[in-house]
mmCIF file of all heavy atoms in Angstrom:
data_model
loop_
_atom_site.group_PDB
_atom_site.id
_atom_site.type_symbol
_atom_site.label_atom_id
_atom_site.label_comp_id
_atom_site.label_asym_id
_atom_site.label_seq_id
_atom_site.Cartn_x
_atom_site.Cartn_y
_atom_site.Cartn_z
ATOM 1 N N TRP A 1 -156.192 -112.991 -17.844
ATOM 2 C CA TRP A 1 -154.889 -112.345 -17.779
ATOM 3 C C TRP A 1 -154.259 -112.404 -19.149
ATOM 4 O O TRP A 1 -154.629 -113.233 -19.975
ATOM 5 C CB TRP A 1 -154.002 -112.975 -16.707
ATOM 6 C CG TRP A 1 -153.314 -114.241 -17.107
ATOM 7 C CD1 TRP A 1 -153.872 -115.494 -17.170
ATOM 8 C CD2 TRP A 1 -151.950 -114.396 -17.495
ATOM 9 N NE1 TRP A 1 -152.945 -116.402 -17.554
ATOM 10 C CE2 TRP A 1 -151.739 -115.764 -17.759
ATOM 11 C CE3 TRP A 1 -150.884 -113.525 -17.624
ATOM 12 C CZ2 TRP A 1 -150.510 -116.262 -18.169
ATOM 13 C CZ3 TRP A 1 -149.655 -114.015 -18.028
ATOM 14 C CH2 TRP A 1 -149.484 -115.383 -18.285
ATOM 15 N N GLY A 2 -153.349 -111.472 -19.392
ATOM 16 C CA GLY A 2 -152.668 -111.439 -20.670
ATOM 17 C C GLY A 2 -151.418 -110.591 -20.588
ATOM 18 O O GLY A 2 -151.276 -109.719 -19.722
ATOM 19 N N TRP A 3 -150.509 -110.863 -21.506
ATOM 20 C CA TRP A 3 -149.253 -110.125 -21.581
ATOM 21 C C TRP A 3 -149.502 -108.750 -22.173
ATOM 22 O O TRP A 3 -150.227 -108.605 -23.143
ATOM 23 C CB TRP A 3 -148.245 -110.888 -22.438
ATOM 24 C CG TRP A 3 -147.747 -112.121 -21.770
ATOM 25 C CD1 TRP A 3 -148.170 -113.396 -22.005
ATOM 26 C CD2 TRP A 3 -146.775 -112.203 -20.737
ATOM 27 N NE1 TRP A 3 -147.510 -114.271 -21.177
ATOM 28 C CE2 TRP A 3 -146.637 -113.562 -20.390
ATOM 29 C CE3 TRP A 3 -145.994 -111.256 -20.070
ATOM 30 C CZ2 TRP A 3 -145.757 -113.999 -19.407
ATOM 31 C CZ3 TRP A 3 -145.116 -111.691 -19.097
ATOM 32 C CH2 TRP A 3 -145.001 -113.045 -18.772
ATOM 33 N N GLU A 4 -148.862 -107.749 -21.609
ATOM 34 C CA GLU A 4 -148.885 -106.390 -22.144
ATOM 35 C C GLU A 4 -147.594 -106.101 -22.887
ATOM 36 O O GLU A 4 -147.576 -105.390 -23.868
ATOM 37 C CB GLU A 4 -149.074 -105.374 -21.014
ATOM 38 C CG GLU A 4 -150.457 -105.406 -20.425
ATOM 39 C CD GLU A 4 -151.500 -105.035 -21.451
ATOM 40 O OE1 GLU A 4 -151.388 -103.961 -22.071
ATOM 41 O OE2 GLU A 4 -152.426 -105.828 -21.658
ATOM 42 N N ALA A 5 -146.511 -106.614 -22.370
ATOM 43 C CA ALA A 5 -145.181 -106.454 -22.960
ATOM 44 C C ALA A 5 -144.345 -107.629 -22.487
ATOM 45 O O ALA A 5 -144.830 -108.482 -21.738
ATOM 46 C CB ALA A 5 -144.557 -105.127 -22.525
ATOM 47 N N LYS A 6 -143.095 -107.668 -22.908
ATOM 48 C CA LYS A 6 -142.227 -108.794 -22.538
ATOM 49 C C LYS A 6 -142.140 -108.972 -21.018
ATOM 50 O O LYS A 6 -142.106 -110.093 -20.528
ATOM 51 C CB LYS A 6 -140.827 -108.566 -23.114
ATOM 52 C CG LYS A 6 -139.855 -109.660 -22.800
ATOM 53 C CD LYS A 6 -138.492 -109.379 -23.375
ATOM 54 C CE LYS A 6 -137.525 -110.483 -22.994
ATOM 55 N NZ LYS A 6 -136.178 -110.200 -23.454
ATOM 56 N N ASN A 7 -142.123 -107.875 -20.281
ATOM 57 C CA ASN A 7 -141.946 -107.942 -18.830
ATOM 58 C C ASN A 7 -143.140 -107.441 -18.029
ATOM 59 O O ASN A 7 -143.000 -107.099 -16.861
ATOM 60 C CB ASN A 7 -140.691 -107.164 -18.425
ATOM 61 C CG ASN A 7 -139.437 -107.845 -18.916
ATOM 62 O OD1 ASN A 7 -139.385 -109.068 -19.001
ATOM 63 N ND2 ASN A 7 -138.439 -107.070 -19.261
ATOM 64 N N SER A 8 -144.321 -107.373 -18.638
ATOM 65 C CA SER A 8 -145.489 -106.955 -17.869
ATOM 66 C C SER A 8 -146.744 -107.666 -18.365
ATOM 67 O O SER A 8 -146.853 -108.006 -19.542
ATOM 68 C CB SER A 8 -145.679 -105.438 -17.926
ATOM 69 O OG SER A 8 -146.016 -105.019 -19.209
ATOM 70 N N PHE A 9 -147.662 -107.888 -17.440
ATOM 71 C CA PHE A 9 -148.923 -108.526 -17.781
ATOM 72 C C PHE A 9 -150.022 -107.937 -16.909
ATOM 73 O O PHE A 9 -149.751 -107.326 -15.874
ATOM 74 C CB PHE A 9 -148.842 -110.053 -17.621
ATOM 75 C CG PHE A 9 -148.494 -110.515 -16.233
ATOM 76 C CD1 PHE A 9 -149.482 -110.850 -15.323
ATOM 77 C CD2 PHE A 9 -147.170 -110.632 -15.839
ATOM 78 C CE1 PHE A 9 -149.164 -111.280 -14.050
ATOM 79 C CE2 PHE A 9 -146.831 -111.068 -14.570
ATOM 80 C CZ PHE A 9 -147.834 -111.390 -13.670
ATOM 81 N N GLU A 10 -151.252 -108.095 -17.372
ATOM 82 C CA GLU A 10 -152.417 -107.613 -16.635
ATOM 83 C C GLU A 10 -153.283 -108.784 -16.218
ATOM 84 O O GLU A 10 -153.410 -109.769 -16.945
ATOM 85 C CB GLU A 10 -153.255 -106.666 -17.492
ATOM 86 C CG GLU A 10 -152.603 -105.345 -17.740
ATOM 87 C CD GLU A 10 -153.500 -104.383 -18.498
ATOM 88 O OE1 GLU A 10 -154.526 -104.797 -19.074
ATOM 89 O OE2 GLU A 10 -153.152 -103.196 -18.506
ATOM 90 N N VAL A 11 -153.893 -108.629 -15.047
ATOM 91 C CA VAL A 11 -154.857 -109.602 -14.537
ATOM 92 C C VAL A 11 -156.158 -108.845 -14.316
ATOM 93 O O VAL A 11 -156.160 -107.749 -13.747
ATOM 94 C CB VAL A 11 -154.369 -110.242 -13.220
ATOM 95 C CG1 VAL A 11 -155.413 -111.173 -12.649
ATOM 96 C CG2 VAL A 11 -153.047 -110.977 -13.453
ATOM 97 N N ARG A 12 -157.266 -109.423 -14.795
ATOM 98 C CA ARG A 12 -158.577 -108.784 -14.647
ATOM 99 C C ARG A 12 -159.487 -109.665 -13.820
ATOM 100 O O ARG A 12 -159.624 -110.861 -14.082
ATOM 101 C CB ARG A 12 -159.233 -108.541 -16.003
ATOM 102 C CG ARG A 12 -160.565 -107.788 -15.895
ATOM 103 C CD ARG A 12 -161.228 -107.590 -17.241
ATOM 104 N NE ARG A 12 -161.656 -108.828 -17.863
ATOM 105 C CZ ARG A 12 -162.783 -109.468 -17.543
ATOM 106 N NH1 ARG A 12 -163.582 -109.004 -16.617
ATOM 107 N NH2 ARG A 12 -163.105 -110.575 -18.172
ATOM 108 N N LEU A 13 -160.103 -109.079 -12.819
ATOM 109 C CA LEU A 13 -161.163 -109.731 -12.052
ATOM 110 C C LEU A 13 -162.442 -108.950 -12.287
ATOM 111 O O LEU A 13 -162.425 -107.716 -12.301
ATOM 112 C CB LEU A 13 -160.857 -109.719 -10.550
ATOM 113 C CG LEU A 13 -159.689 -110.536 -10.055
ATOM 114 C CD1 LEU A 13 -159.556 -110.384 -8.542
ATOM 115 C CD2 LEU A 13 -159.859 -111.998 -10.412
ATOM 116 N N ALA A 14 -163.534 -109.651 -12.482
ATOM 117 C CA ALA A 14 -164.828 -108.991 -12.667
ATOM 118 C C ALA A 14 -165.880 -109.763 -11.897
ATOM 119 O O ALA A 14 -165.789 -110.991 -11.741
ATOM 120 C CB ALA A 14 -165.194 -108.920 -14.144
ATOM 121 N N MET A 15 -166.861 -109.036 -11.402
ATOM 122 C CA MET A 15 -167.969 -109.699 -10.712
ATOM 123 C C MET A 15 -169.252 -108.918 -10.940
ATOM 124 O O MET A 15 -169.235 -107.723 -11.237
ATOM 125 C CB MET A 15 -167.688 -109.848 -9.218
ATOM 126 C CG MET A 15 -167.638 -108.577 -8.453
ATOM 127 S SD MET A 15 -167.456 -108.757 -6.650
ATOM 128 C CE MET A 15 -167.300 -110.448 -6.354
ATOM 129 N N GLU A 16 -170.335 -109.635 -10.826
ATOM 130 C CA GLU A 16 -171.661 -109.036 -10.963
ATOM 131 C C GLU A 16 -172.513 -109.534 -9.810
ATOM 132 O O GLU A 16 -172.569 -110.732 -9.539
ATOM 133 C CB GLU A 16 -172.292 -109.433 -12.293
ATOM 134 C CG GLU A 16 -173.665 -108.843 -12.504
ATOM 135 C CD GLU A 16 -174.257 -109.198 -13.861
ATOM 136 O OE1 GLU A 16 -173.800 -110.185 -14.472
ATOM 137 O OE2 GLU A 16 -175.173 -108.497 -14.292
ATOM 138 N N LEU A 17 -173.142 -108.611 -9.109
ATOM 139 C CA LEU A 17 -174.046 -108.932 -8.018
ATOM 140 C C LEU A 17 -175.438 -108.480 -8.437
ATOM 141 O O LEU A 17 -175.682 -107.284 -8.617
ATOM 142 C CB LEU A 17 -173.614 -108.226 -6.731
ATOM 143 C CG LEU A 17 -172.178 -108.520 -6.292
ATOM 144 C CD1 LEU A 17 -171.748 -107.569 -5.190
ATOM 145 C CD2 LEU A 17 -172.058 -109.955 -5.852
ATOM 146 N N LEU A 18 -176.330 -109.432 -8.622
ATOM 147 C CA LEU A 18 -177.671 -109.121 -9.101
ATOM 148 C C LEU A 18 -178.541 -108.570 -7.978
ATOM 149 O O LEU A 18 -178.374 -108.925 -6.812
ATOM 150 C CB LEU A 18 -178.307 -110.374 -9.696
ATOM 151 C CG LEU A 18 -177.554 -110.982 -10.887
ATOM 152 C CD1 LEU A 18 -178.211 -112.279 -11.321
ATOM 153 C CD2 LEU A 18 -177.477 -110.000 -12.042
ATOM 154 N N ALA A 19 -179.468 -107.734 -8.355
ATOM 155 C CA ALA A 19 -180.398 -107.162 -7.387
ATOM 156 C C ALA A 19 -181.347 -108.233 -6.862
ATOM 157 O O ALA A 19 -181.648 -109.212 -7.547
ATOM 158 C CB ALA A 19 -181.192 -106.032 -8.049
ATOM 159 N N SER A 20 -181.802 -108.018 -5.641
ATOM 160 C CA SER A 20 -182.780 -108.917 -5.021
ATOM 161 C C SER A 20 -183.735 -108.067 -4.180
ATOM 162 O O SER A 20 -183.569 -106.850 -4.083
ATOM 163 C CB SER A 20 -182.075 -109.947 -4.134
ATOM 164 O OG SER A 20 -181.472 -109.295 -3.023
ATOM 165 N N ARG A 21 -184.703 -108.695 -3.568
ATOM 166 C CA ARG A 21 -185.609 -107.929 -2.688
ATOM 167 C C ARG A 21 -184.847 -107.324 -1.518
ATOM 168 O O ARG A 21 -185.087 -106.194 -1.129
ATOM 169 C CB ARG A 21 -186.715 -108.833 -2.148
ATOM 170 C CG ARG A 21 -187.803 -109.073 -3.110
ATOM 171 C CD ARG A 21 -188.983 -109.715 -2.426
ATOM 172 N NE ARG A 21 -190.032 -109.900 -3.397
ATOM 173 C CZ ARG A 21 -190.846 -110.910 -3.408
ATOM 174 N NH1 ARG A 21 -190.760 -111.846 -2.480
ATOM 175 N NH2 ARG A 21 -191.778 -111.003 -4.324
ATOM 176 N N ALA A 22 -183.930 -108.103 -0.959
ATOM 177 C CA ALA A 22 -183.170 -107.620 0.193
ATOM 178 C C ALA A 22 -182.142 -106.556 -0.193
ATOM 179 O O ALA A 22 -181.863 -105.645 0.576
ATOM 180 C CB ALA A 22 -182.459 -108.789 0.882
ATOM 181 N N ARG A 23 -181.589 -106.676 -1.395
ATOM 182 C CA ARG A 23 -180.566 -105.743 -1.868
ATOM 183 C C ARG A 23 -180.949 -105.286 -3.275
ATOM 184 O O ARG A 23 -180.681 -105.991 -4.239
ATOM 185 C CB ARG A 23 -179.206 -106.404 -1.900
ATOM 186 C CG ARG A 23 -178.742 -106.832 -0.511
ATOM 187 C CD ARG A 23 -177.273 -106.762 -0.370
ATOM 188 N NE ARG A 23 -176.720 -105.454 -0.587
ATOM 189 C CZ ARG A 23 -176.464 -104.567 0.378
ATOM 190 N NH1 ARG A 23 -176.751 -104.847 1.620
ATOM 191 N NH2 ARG A 23 -175.939 -103.415 0.096
ATOM 192 N N PRO A 24 -181.560 -104.130 -3.425
ATOM 193 C CA PRO A 24 -182.035 -103.691 -4.736
ATOM 194 C C PRO A 24 -180.931 -103.225 -5.690
ATOM 195 O O PRO A 24 -181.205 -102.976 -6.848
ATOM 196 C CB PRO A 24 -182.986 -102.537 -4.403
ATOM 197 C CG PRO A 24 -182.539 -102.040 -3.073
ATOM 198 C CD PRO A 24 -181.966 -103.217 -2.352
ATOM 199 N N GLU A 25 -179.696 -103.135 -5.220
ATOM 200 C CA GLU A 25 -178.616 -102.680 -6.097
ATOM 201 C C GLU A 25 -178.160 -103.797 -7.038
ATOM 202 O O GLU A 25 -178.108 -104.957 -6.667
ATOM 203 C CB GLU A 25 -177.369 -102.250 -5.295
ATOM 204 C CG GLU A 25 -177.616 -101.177 -4.295
ATOM 205 C CD GLU A 25 -177.760 -101.740 -2.892
ATOM 206 O OE1 GLU A 25 -178.005 -102.949 -2.726
ATOM 207 O OE2 GLU A 25 -177.644 -100.955 -1.956
ATOM 208 N N HIS A 26 -177.844 -103.390 -8.248
ATOM 209 C CA HIS A 26 -177.203 -104.282 -9.213
ATOM 210 C C HIS A 26 -175.783 -103.733 -9.365
ATOM 211 O O HIS A 26 -175.592 -102.618 -9.834
ATOM 212 C CB HIS A 26 -177.945 -104.245 -10.548
ATOM 213 C CG HIS A 26 -177.306 -105.085 -11.608
ATOM 214 N ND1 HIS A 26 -177.983 -106.077 -12.248
ATOM 215 C CD2 HIS A 26 -176.063 -105.083 -12.133
ATOM 216 C CE1 HIS A 26 -177.177 -106.650 -13.132
ATOM 217 N NE2 HIS A 26 -175.997 -106.054 -13.080
ATOM 218 N N VAL A 27 -174.801 -104.521 -8.946
ATOM 219 C CA VAL A 27 -173.416 -104.053 -8.929
ATOM 220 C C VAL A 27 -172.596 -104.839 -9.942
ATOM 221 O O VAL A 27 -172.640 -106.068 -9.962
ATOM 222 C CB VAL A 27 -172.798 -104.219 -7.521
ATOM 223 C CG1 VAL A 27 -171.338 -103.793 -7.516
ATOM 224 C CG2 VAL A 27 -173.596 -103.449 -6.489
ATOM 225 N N GLU A 28 -171.883 -104.128 -10.806
ATOM 226 C CA GLU A 28 -170.918 -104.740 -11.709
ATOM 227 C C GLU A 28 -169.585 -104.069 -11.455
ATOM 228 O O GLU A 28 -169.506 -102.845 -11.398
ATOM 229 C CB GLU A 28 -171.326 -104.540 -13.170
ATOM 230 C CG GLU A 28 -172.573 -105.289 -13.549
ATOM 231 C CD GLU A 28 -172.918 -105.122 -15.012
ATOM 232 O OE1 GLU A 28 -171.989 -105.236 -15.845
ATOM 233 O OE2 GLU A 28 -174.090 -104.865 -15.302
ATOM 234 N N LEU A 29 -168.561 -104.885 -11.297
ATOM 235 C CA LEU A 29 -167.248 -104.349 -10.979
ATOM 236 C C LEU A 29 -166.196 -105.086 -11.787
ATOM 237 O O LEU A 29 -166.248 -106.308 -11.915
ATOM 238 C CB LEU A 29 -166.959 -104.531 -9.480
ATOM 239 C CG LEU A 29 -165.619 -104.007 -9.012
ATOM 240 C CD1 LEU A 29 -165.769 -102.581 -8.512
ATOM 241 C CD2 LEU A 29 -165.081 -104.880 -7.908
ATOM 242 N N SER A 30 -165.275 -104.343 -12.350
ATOM 243 C CA SER A 30 -164.149 -104.923 -13.072
ATOM 244 C C SER A 30 -162.891 -104.222 -12.594
ATOM 245 O O SER A 30 -162.849 -102.990 -12.547
ATOM 246 C CB SER A 30 -164.327 -104.740 -14.580
ATOM 247 O OG SER A 30 -163.256 -105.320 -15.275
ATOM 248 N N MET A 31 -161.893 -104.990 -12.222
ATOM 249 C CA MET A 31 -160.647 -104.426 -11.737
ATOM 250 C C MET A 31 -159.488 -105.044 -12.517
ATOM 251 O O MET A 31 -159.441 -106.255 -12.718
ATOM 252 C CB MET A 31 -160.475 -104.694 -10.248
ATOM 253 C CG MET A 31 -159.207 -104.099 -9.671
ATOM 254 S SD MET A 31 -159.099 -104.315 -7.885
ATOM 255 C CE MET A 31 -160.351 -103.152 -7.352
ATOM 256 N N ILE A 32 -158.582 -104.202 -12.945
ATOM 257 C CA ILE A 32 -157.397 -104.652 -13.672
ATOM 258 C C ILE A 32 -156.173 -104.231 -12.877
ATOM 259 O O ILE A 32 -156.070 -103.079 -12.444
ATOM 260 C CB ILE A 32 -157.344 -104.044 -15.087
ATOM 261 C CG1 ILE A 32 -158.523 -104.530 -15.917
ATOM 262 C CG2 ILE A 32 -156.021 -104.395 -15.770
ATOM 263 C CD1 ILE A 32 -158.653 -103.852 -17.258
ATOM 264 N N ALA A 33 -155.250 -105.166 -12.714
ATOM 265 C CA ALA A 33 -153.971 -104.871 -12.071
ATOM 266 C C ALA A 33 -152.852 -105.214 -13.045
ATOM 267 O O ALA A 33 -152.909 -106.237 -13.723
ATOM 268 C CB ALA A 33 -153.816 -105.672 -10.789
ATOM 269 N N ARG A 34 -151.865 -104.356 -13.122
ATOM 270 C CA ARG A 34 -150.718 -104.591 -14.003
ATOM 271 C C ARG A 34 -149.528 -104.996 -13.126
ATOM 272 O O ARG A 34 -149.220 -104.344 -12.136
ATOM 273 C CB ARG A 34 -150.381 -103.337 -14.792
ATOM 274 C CG ARG A 34 -149.214 -103.570 -15.749
ATOM 275 C CD ARG A 34 -149.018 -102.422 -16.699
ATOM 276 N NE ARG A 34 -150.129 -102.434 -17.655
ATOM 277 C CZ ARG A 34 -150.577 -101.355 -18.273
ATOM 278 N NH1 ARG A 34 -150.045 -100.193 -18.046
ATOM 279 N NH2 ARG A 34 -151.567 -101.444 -19.133
ATOM 280 N N PHE A 35 -148.885 -106.075 -13.526
ATOM 281 C CA PHE A 35 -147.719 -106.601 -12.816
ATOM 282 C C PHE A 35 -146.519 -106.532 -13.739
ATOM 283 O O PHE A 35 -146.625 -106.780 -14.933
ATOM 284 C CB PHE A 35 -147.966 -108.051 -12.381
ATOM 285 C CG PHE A 35 -149.080 -108.181 -11.379
ATOM 286 C CD1 PHE A 35 -150.396 -108.356 -11.807
ATOM 287 C CD2 PHE A 35 -148.826 -108.108 -10.032
ATOM 288 C CE1 PHE A 35 -151.423 -108.469 -10.893
ATOM 289 C CE2 PHE A 35 -149.857 -108.221 -9.104
ATOM 290 C CZ PHE A 35 -151.156 -108.399 -9.532
ATOM 291 N N ARG A 36 -145.376 -106.207 -13.160
ATOM 292 C CA ARG A 36 -144.153 -106.074 -13.944
ATOM 293 C C ARG A 36 -143.089 -107.017 -13.383
ATOM 294 O O ARG A 36 -142.910 -107.130 -12.177
ATOM 295 C CB ARG A 36 -143.648 -104.642 -13.881
ATOM 296 C CG ARG A 36 -142.448 -104.402 -14.766
ATOM 297 C CD ARG A 36 -142.005 -102.969 -14.741
ATOM 298 N NE ARG A 36 -141.703 -102.590 -13.368
ATOM 299 C CZ ARG A 36 -141.758 -101.353 -12.913
ATOM 300 N NH1 ARG A 36 -142.118 -100.379 -13.711
ATOM 301 N NH2 ARG A 36 -141.455 -101.065 -11.672
ATOM 302 N N LEU A 37 -142.387 -107.688 -14.269
ATOM 303 C CA LEU A 37 -141.303 -108.582 -13.888
ATOM 304 C C LEU A 37 -140.020 -107.774 -13.749
ATOM 305 O O LEU A 37 -139.726 -106.940 -14.598
ATOM 306 C CB LEU A 37 -141.109 -109.666 -14.952
ATOM 307 C CG LEU A 37 -142.355 -110.487 -15.307
ATOM 308 C CD1 LEU A 37 -142.048 -111.410 -16.465
ATOM 309 C CD2 LEU A 37 -142.828 -111.263 -14.102
ATOM 310 N N GLU A 38 -139.289 -108.041 -12.703
ATOM 311 C CA GLU A 38 -138.015 -107.362 -12.473
ATOM 312 C C GLU A 38 -136.895 -108.394 -12.536
ATOM 313 O O GLU A 38 -136.979 -109.433 -11.895
ATOM 314 C CB GLU A 38 -138.008 -106.682 -11.099
ATOM 315 C CG GLU A 38 -138.990 -105.546 -10.965
ATOM 316 C CD GLU A 38 -138.608 -104.328 -11.768
ATOM 317 O OE1 GLU A 38 -137.410 -104.138 -12.047
ATOM 318 O OE2 GLU A 38 -139.515 -103.554 -12.128
ATOM 319 N N GLY A 39 -135.869 -108.118 -13.291
ATOM 320 C CA GLY A 39 -134.728 -109.017 -13.389
ATOM 321 C C GLY A 39 -135.002 -110.183 -14.321
ATOM 322 O O GLY A 39 -136.073 -110.326 -14.897
#
């Protein structure tokens, strides 16, 4: 997480799911959410 401005910051979650015999997909996902302070 990090500050974007005085009253807003971002939080990042990321995950990686490796392929296996049962699940051949390799999935990488990154999500960012921006939060703003009010008052």
Side-chain angles (χ1 to χ4, degrees):
W1 81 282
W3 289 100
E4 289 297 306
K6 180 181 178 184
N7 292 327
S8 67
F9 59 94
E10 289 185 346
V11 176
R12 184 182 66 80
L13 293 180
M15 67 175 3
E16 180 177 20
L17 304 168
L18 300 175
S20 66
R21 281 192 179 145
R23 297 212 59 94
E25 303 100 342
H26 177 123
V27 177
E28 292 183 45
L29 180 93
S30 181
M31 181 175 288
I32 296 173
R34 182 170 289 153
F35 296 89
R36 185 177 58 205
L37 305 174
E38 294 290 335

